[in-house]
Amino acid sequence: MSLLTSILGLFGCGKPIAEDQWTVATGDDNGKPMIVRFRSDIPRGVDIKQYPHLMAIAWKYEPANEGGMPSNADNNRMVLLEELLDSLETKRIAFLTVAVTCNGVKEWQWYSRDQEETMKVLNSALSGQSPFPIEISQQEDSAWSAYFRFRNSAK
């Protein structure tokens, strides 16, 4: 189970598709602040049944302060990572739905149509960059249960 499905918290920078609406919220986890960003609704024109794979990308970082947030340098690299992965959306291979930052971890949740294709495009997008300290996990979630559970509990 990913960080996002076990806690409510999210932060994100990057450039979501213009017509999509995003919600940003704050909360806490064991006294540490969380920053949360999630899509207010399913991306326009997306049939969730065509994107049954949940991919979580987690970045563990050394908190820059007692609040557990990343340093400016780490945050800038996180922004770069998200911008590099924009091609997943522009090619309609995967869609970012939730991002959370809390207590030394940032995690992004994506729903993809094909795991192999997603990893191929992800690796291509990141080629030529210094390695990012990320861990990727994937699971089936054809009903987008993790996203809906998160979105509905945040409202």
Side-chain angles (χ1 to χ4, degrees), residues 13 25 37 71 82 91 94-95 105 123-124 132:
C13 297
R37 179 176 52 120
S71 66
E82 194 167 320
K91 294 178 180 181
F95 290 90
V105 179
N123 286 325
S124 176
F132 292 95

Side-chain angles (χ1 to χ4, degrees), residues 11-119:
F11 173 79
C13 297
K15 300 173 185 170
I17 295 174
E19 69 265 10
D20 291 335
Q21 296 290 316
W22 290 82
T23 299
V24 177
T26 59
D28 72 87
D29 179 40
N30 294 322
K32 301 289 184 183
M34 288 188 287
I35 303 173
V36 179
R37 179 176 52 120
F38 62 95
R39 274 194 149 96
S40 302
D41 207 348
I42 297 167
R44 187 172 295 177
V46 169
D47 176 359
I48 65 173
K49 291 177 182 155
Q50 293 181 3
Y51 296 85
H53 310 287
L54 172 61
M55 175 177 69
I57 300 175
W59 180 319
K60 294 178 183 173
Y61 58 86
E62 186 65 36
N65 53 49
E66 290 183 20
M69 291 293 122
S71 66
N72 286 339
D74 281 343
N75 189 62
N76 289 340
R77 290 275 295 158
M78 291 171 185
V79 169
L80 174 62
L81 173 66
E82 194 167 320
E83 288 173 350
L84 291 168
L85 297 182
D86 277 349
S87 61
L88 291 171
E89 288 202 14
T90 57
K91 294 178 180 181
R92 302 189 67 76
I93 292 167
F95 290 90
L96 178 63
T97 56
V98 180
V100 62
T101 303
C102 180
N103 202 18
V105 179
K106 176 156 184 170
E107 184 177 299
W108 298 264
Q109 275 191 356
W110 295 78
Y111 280 92
S112 69
R113 63 181 183 200
D114 179 273
Q115 292 175 333
E116 283 186 37
E117 179 184 29
T118 300
M119 291 306 297

Side-chain angles (χ1 to χ4, degrees), residues 117-136:
E117 179 184 29
T118 300
M119 291 306 297
K120 185 177 179 180
V121 173
L122 183 146
N123 286 325
S124 176
L126 301 182
S127 69
Q129 297 291 321
S130 301
F132 292 95
I134 58 175
E135 295 176 10
I136 300 172

